[in-house]
């Protein structure tokens, strides 16, 4: 039974279609992230749910009730903004207390609740401090406590960590998830950081150009991207623009290379497809004299040290691939060495491409 | 647009535009009570009035003198403060607030008393006494504008870069620093122009014959031509402020834009 | 070589640095000579008599009629026009900057305010005579409509205190607009939305967040307006304000109308300085508070 539903939402700004038919369904206590580059419509959708904007078409339903026409101050939702949302003339405690004060519940039990929440977000020691005396991370904790104080039905977060330092971001996202699980509150989260979305969500909806490209669990999004955009946006992926040679055996051809891919079975011959292989599923070995099935030979072009993992770029046979392996093993394959990359026939995924289409969408590097 | 916003803006527009329109109407009436509109005789009277040209010339020249002295005095000082003497800045900022506490009406009393014994070329001439006072009147606005201008450029880096390339002080000052604070200096200058052209208090109490004094004389003696003169005065102020806006659009020229006679 | 002047010389460090200080001397000399010395001389003169002996006589005279009346008049006018200018200026500024109002209105308002704030003094006085004087535009409209303003509302004469206040608003309101618009900009939209999200209605936002945050800026602007009106001379002079306000009284001495004791004029000026100094002491902490919350 879904608790929060976005039904066929449309929103246009002039000629721009910011939202073009968004459908999302959240169960109670679920955490869903709307993930995508800037301009994809995720914040627009969130603001529609919060009530700061009205959809041109579609409905928003909470626990069976249509709230599309309800004013934002009556929707009983808690929102955490990206930055600057704490009232500067009030200290942390007074900020958290605000929603209760409006409802006349800040005396007695209310006071205890405020203290509990501040403790929950780890700020008991700073309750009397004013926003300008708090760091960015602390401010967002106060903002979270403030949104939770009113016991909202739905928690909305609009890129709450984007303005913070990297380390604080990782720390705080874990805490947000922990608190959310503890309180069991239905949560809608907006972010452009795919690592963040994958790390803490029950479900992820990848958005682009006002539509949802794919929605599913983080694992699904990662291992089985449904569209070229999702494949590109989530994690790093090797993409081989290929043609199906034999739909029965699963043989495909890419830049002269013949590969066997299980996922190609059942496709029609001549179909243009995109073969997707995660860098960590490529097996790299030093080249030997014989040839190996389902592999391609090349030379290590670059090595990029990423900590526990090293990323190797291998180039050969008119194509280049990225392979991730443990740093220890990568030491044995220095730049310039000849290697053989084995492509796992089960590990590769396939997406259809239009036969004469433009190919892969070009993503603005600034979007990620 | 919110209805209440519309109402307030409309009321404000009415309150501000009606007196201007009334002045315009007055200025187009014959210099006799009861005749209908419209004539340019008042404007003609102004253009052909010797005193008008005499006083407006004095006021303009005074303004230029004030601007020159102010720039010569304040630009190098502000440059030095931003370059080498940052601790002086709060001191000067505080001094720039003193004219709020010592307004023209108080200042002129002190000036007249202090400089009473000085030679005639200073005490009796507008180019001495009045200009000296007007530089002080311009000081706060010069400070805020130039301060903003200097703050918007990295004075240290520019100076060091210039010197590392071999330039001596005058070159650095004139060819590197000044062009970069030009819009701030220009903005302050236009503001000073508006101040001097409108300053009445000091000129009146110290008995000098400037344009605002002439304006008041015409107000008292000739009702209708005063309308033409008032409108002209308004247009001149407007011209100065528009120039300020055009010039101030560049970064670093946004200082206080409030000055003038009350 | 010139670059060395920037680095403090370890040996003669002090000598090098003082070269900079020396170059600011003309500035300080000028301001001291033409601002501080005259200001001090006013204060000294206020406490002297004609023979230049120290006395409290002149300052004591300030408490007598008509001088004390002039101070009350000045304070009244300043207070009323500061309150009116601040309130209406705020409403007009808010109307122009809020969401929903077209952008161009704000530009026009700012431009016009810049001009109007400088349109004080003699020209302003005439503009009001042309509007509300005996032959004024508005007076004539009312008379044609059968309504003689000066009879129905004798209080409301242009050449009365109320009239002067109405004229002062012409530069007080724009001054307020110019000063408060940046502060209104500083009211972040996130605060409004967060408040609404937490259940607050419009007036609750203003009561708990909007007005408290604006208050330091508002009070600072109010003080600015007060000082502005208090020191005003030309407009009142041109509207024949007799002896109702202090600047006119001071002026009368120099334009040869009344007052034969220069030290009395200086005492009057000293009194003005005292009032303004108190205002300044209130202003400085307010500005600091406003700046802190603007972050």
């Amino acid at each position: 039974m879904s608790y929060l539903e976005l039904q066929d939402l449309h929103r246009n700004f002039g000629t721009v279609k910011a939202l073009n038919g968004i459908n999302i369904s959240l169960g109670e206590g679920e955490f869903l992230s709307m993930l995508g580059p800037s301009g994809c419509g995720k914040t627009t959708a969130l603001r529609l749910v919060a009530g700061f904007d009205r959809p041109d078409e579609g409905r928003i339903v909470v626990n069976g009730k249509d709230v599309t026409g309800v004013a934002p101050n009556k929707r009983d939702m808690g929102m955490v903004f990206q930055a600057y949302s704490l009232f500067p003339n009030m200290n942390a405690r007074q900020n958290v207390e605000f929603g209760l004060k409006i409802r006349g519940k800040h005396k007695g039990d209310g006071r205890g609740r405020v203290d509990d929440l501040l403790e929950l977000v780890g700020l008991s020691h700073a309750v009397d401090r004013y926003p300008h005396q708090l760091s960015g991370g602390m401010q967002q904790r106060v903002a979270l406590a403030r949104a939770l104080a009113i016991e909202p039905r739905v928690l909305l977060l609009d890129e709450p960590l984007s303005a913070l330092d990297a380390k604080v971001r990782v720390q705080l996202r874990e805490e947000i998830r922990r608190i959310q699980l503890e309180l069991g509150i239905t949560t809608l989260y907006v972010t452009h950081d795919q690592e963040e979305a994958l790390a803490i969500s029950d479900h992820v909806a990848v958005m682009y150009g006002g539509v949802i490209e794919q929605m599913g669990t983080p694992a699904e999004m990662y291992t089985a991207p449904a569209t070229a955009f999702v494949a590109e946006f989530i994690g790093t992926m090797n993409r081989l623009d290929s043609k199906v040679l034999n739909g029965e055996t699963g043989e495909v051809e890419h830049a002269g290379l013949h590969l066997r891919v299980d996922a190609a079975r059942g496709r029609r011959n001549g179909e243009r497809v995109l073969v997707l292989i995660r860098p960590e599923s490529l097996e790299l070995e030093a080249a030997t004299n014989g040839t190996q099935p389902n592999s391609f030979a090349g030379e290590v072009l670059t090595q990029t040290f990423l900590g526990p993992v090293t990323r190797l770029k291998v180039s050969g046979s008119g194509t280049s691939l990225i392979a991730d392996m443990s740093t220890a093993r990568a030491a044995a394959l220095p730049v310039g060495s000849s290697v053989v990359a084995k492509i796992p026939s089960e590990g590769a995924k396939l997406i259809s491409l239009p036969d004469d289409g433009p190919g892969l969408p070009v993503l603005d590097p600034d979007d990620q | 647009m919110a209805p209440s916003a519309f109402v307030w803006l409309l009321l404000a527009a009415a309150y501000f535009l009606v007196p201007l329109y009334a002045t315009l109407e007055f200025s187009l009436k014959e210099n006799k009570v009861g005749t209908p509109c419209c004539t340019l005789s008042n404007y003609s009277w102004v253009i052909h009035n010797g005193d008008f040209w005499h006083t407006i010339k004095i006021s303009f020249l005074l303004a230029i003198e004030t601007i020159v002295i102010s720039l010569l005095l304040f630009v190098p000082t502000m440059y030095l403060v931003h370059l080498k003497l940052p601790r002086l800045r709060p001191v000067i900022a505080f001094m720039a607030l003193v004219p709020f506490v010592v307004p023209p009406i108080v200042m002129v009393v002190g000036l007249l008393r202090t400089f009473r014994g000085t030679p005639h070329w200073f005490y009796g001439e507008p180019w001495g006494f009045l200009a000296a006072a007007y530089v002080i009147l311009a000081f706060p606005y010069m400070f805020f504008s130039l301060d903003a201008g200097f703050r918007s450029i990295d004075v240290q880096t520019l100076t060091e870069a210039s010197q590392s390339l071999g330039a001596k002080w005058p070159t650095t000052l004139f060819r590197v620093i000044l062009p970069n604070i030009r819009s701030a200096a220009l903005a302050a200058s236009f503001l000073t122009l508006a101040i001097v052209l409108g300053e009445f208090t000091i000129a009146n109490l110290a008995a000098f014959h400037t344009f605002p004094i002439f304006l008041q004389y015409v107000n008292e003696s000739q009702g209708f031509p005063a309308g033409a003169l008032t409108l002209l005065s308004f247009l001149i102020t407007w011209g100065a402020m528009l120039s300020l806006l055009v010039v101030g659009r560049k970064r670093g020229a946004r200082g206080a834009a409030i000055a003038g006679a009350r | 070589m010139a670059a060395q002047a920037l680095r403090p010389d370890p040996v003669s460090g002090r000598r090098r640095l003082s070269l900079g200080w020396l170059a600011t001397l003309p500035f300080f000399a000028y301001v001291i000579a033409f601002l501080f010395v005259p200001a001090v001389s006013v204060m000294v003169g206020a406490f002297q008599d004609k023979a230049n002996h120290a006395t409290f006589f002149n300052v004591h005279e300030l408490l007598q009629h008509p001088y004390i009346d002039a101070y009350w008049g000045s304070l009244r006018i300043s207070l009323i026009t500061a309150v009116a200018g601040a309130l209406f200026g705020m409403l007009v500024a808010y109307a122009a900057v809020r969401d929903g109002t077209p952008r161009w209105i704000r530009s026009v308002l700012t431009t016009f305010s810049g001009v109007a704030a400088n349109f004080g003094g003699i020209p302003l006085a005439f503009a009001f005579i042309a509007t509300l004087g005996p032959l004024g535009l508005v007076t004539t409209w009312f008379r044609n409509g059968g309504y003689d303003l000066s009879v129905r509302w004798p209080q409301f004469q242009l050449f009365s205190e109320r009239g002067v206040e109405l004229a002062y608003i012409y530069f007080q309101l724009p001054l307020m607009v110019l000063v408060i618009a940046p502060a209104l900009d500083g009211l972040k939209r996130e605060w409004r939305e967060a408040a609404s999200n937490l259940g607050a209605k419009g007036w609750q936002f203003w009561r708990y967040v909007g007005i408290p945050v604006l208050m330091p800026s508002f009070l600072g602007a109010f003080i600015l307006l007060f000082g502005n009106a208090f020191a005003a001379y030309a407009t009142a002079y041109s509207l024949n304000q007799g002896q109702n306000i202090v600047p006119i009284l001071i002026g009368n001495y120099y334009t040869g109308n009344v007052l034969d004791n220069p030290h009395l004029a200086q005492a009057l000026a000293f009194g003005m300085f005292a009032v303004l100094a108190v205002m300044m002491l209130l202003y400085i902490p307010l500005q600091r508070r406003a700046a802190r919350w603007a972050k």
Side-chain angles (χ1 to χ4, degrees), chain B residues 38-245:
Chain B
C38 280
T39 167
L40 286 176
S41 63
N42 294 315
Y43 290 96
S44 170
W45 182 91
V46 169
I47 309 272
H48 289 110
N49 188 310
D51 253 346
F52 166 70
W53 292 109
H54 181 70
T55 53
I56 207 160
K57 196 169 65 167
I58 290 183
S59 284
F60 253 102
L61 288 175
L62 250 182
I64 293 179
E65 187 190 345
T66 307
I67 291 171
V68 169
I69 296 178
S70 299
L71 289 176
L72 281 176
L73 206 54
F74 301 134
V75 170
T77 308
M78 293 299 292
Y79 175 47
L80 265 171
V81 165
H82 279 263
L83 184 67
K84 282 207 266 186
L85 310 167
R87 271 177 298 157
L88 262 187
R89 194 185 158 274
V91 173
I92 300 185
F94 178 76
M95 285 164 73
L97 290 179
V98 171
F100 175 82
V101 191
V102 183
I105 187 70
V106 173
M107 192 168 101
V108 67
V109 173
L111 283 172
L112 286 171
R113 183 180 138 102
T114 309
F115 292 97
R116 195 175 24 197
T118 54
H120 180 81
W121 59 263
F122 176 78
Y123 195 69
E125 288 289 334
W127 324 112
F129 187 85
L130 270 188
Y134 288 172
V135 168
I136 297 288
L137 284 191
F139 166 47
Y141 307 99
M142 281 269 165
F143 170 74
F144 286 120
S145 197
L146 289 174
D147 187 54
F150 275 109
R151 259 188 312 179
S152 76
I153 64 176
D154 190 342
V155 178
Q156 286 278 24
T157 309
L158 277 179
T159 306
E160 290 178 1
S162 168
Q163 291 179 329
S164 75
L165 290 165
K168 297 204 175 47
W169 279 110
T171 315
T172 306
L173 185 65
F174 286 110
R175 281 162 140 253
V176 177
I177 301 295
L178 281 184
N180 278 295
I181 53 132
R182 194 182 53 177
S183 43
L186 271 178
S189 301
F190 280 118
L191 209 49
T192 307
L193 178 69
I195 295 174
V196 172
L197 285 182
E199 206 288 324
F200 179 79
T201 309
I202 299 181
N204 193 33
L205 268 66
F208 286 105
H209 210 51
T210 61
F211 179 62
I213 304 288
F214 173 68
L215 250 174
Q216 172 60 10
Y217 167 73
V218 174
N219 269 16
E220 285 172 12
S221 57
Q222 317 243 11
F224 294 94
L229 210 50
T230 300
L231 214 57
L232 264 156
S233 162
F234 176 76
L235 286 173
I236 295 175
T237 311
W238 198 47
M241 299 315 285
L242 271 184
S243 315
L244 191 160
L245 273 175

Side-chain angles (χ1 to χ4, degrees), chain A residues 166-212:
Chain A
K167 234 192 159 91
V168 177
R169 247 187 274 160
V170 175
Q171 202 182 0
L172 211 47
R173 79 181 183 212
E174 306 293 322
E175 290 201 36
I176 291 176
R177 177 57 158 163
R178 172 181 65 83
I179 293 170
Q180 184 265 339
L181 285 172
E182 202 173 305
L183 297 175
I185 186 167
T186 313
T187 303
L188 201 54
Y189 190 96
V190 162
T191 180
H192 64 266
D193 182 341
Q194 45 108 357
E195 191 190 298
E196 197 171 282
L198 295 180
I200 60 177
S201 323
D202 292 318
H203 287 91
V204 175
V206 175
M207 291 174 66
Y208 185 61
V211 294
I212 295 181

Side-chain angles (χ1 to χ4, degrees), chain B residues 15-16 19 23 25 77 80 100-101 103 110 113-114 132 135 163 204-205 216 223 227 230 234 238 241 245 258-259 261-262, chain C residues 6 23 27 30 41-42 48 111 115 117-118 120 123 126 131 137 166 169-170 175 228 231 233-235 238 266 273 280:
Chain B
Y15 173 77
F16 284 109
T23 309
E25 212 199 48
T77 308
L80 265 171
F100 175 82
V101 191
R113 183 180 138 102
T114 309
V135 168
Q163 291 179 329
N204 193 33
L205 268 66
Q216 172 60 10
T230 300
F234 176 76
W238 198 47
M241 299 315 285
L245 273 175
I258 307 114
R262 306 280 177 266
Chain C
L6 288 175
F27 165 78
Y30 190 96
S41 119
V42 165
Q48 287 181 326
T111 314
V115 183
N118 292 315
F126 181 84
T131 311
L137 189 70
L166 201 64
I169 304 271
Y170 205 88
L175 179 59
N228 200 31
Y233 172 74
T235 317
S238 196
Q266 284 149 19
F273 167 81
M280 174 60 49

Side-chain angles (χ1 to χ4, degrees), chain C residues 186-267:
Chain C
L187 276 183
K188 301 216 181 335
R189 167 201 273 195
E190 281 89 346
W191 299 337
R192 191 78 198 256
E193 288 181 349
S196 172
N197 173 256
L198 292 163
K201 300 195 195 43
W203 67 267
Q204 287 172 314
F205 163 73
W206 284 111
R207 177 175 163 203
Y208 291 114
V209 183
I211 292 178
V213 171
L214 277 178
M215 196 51 81
S217 305
F218 182 84
L219 289 177
F222 173 80
I223 290 177
L224 214 62
L225 260 65
F226 182 92
N228 200 31
F230 194 70
Y233 172 74
T235 317
Y237 180 88
S238 196
L239 286 175
N240 298 333
Q241 276 304 289
Q243 303 189 39
N244 297 346
I245 59 174
V246 182
I248 299 287
L249 272 185
I250 297 177
N252 281 344
Y253 171 75
Y254 292 95
T255 54
N257 287 0
V258 202
L259 277 190
D260 62 345
N261 182 359
H263 294 284
L264 198 48
Q266 284 149 19

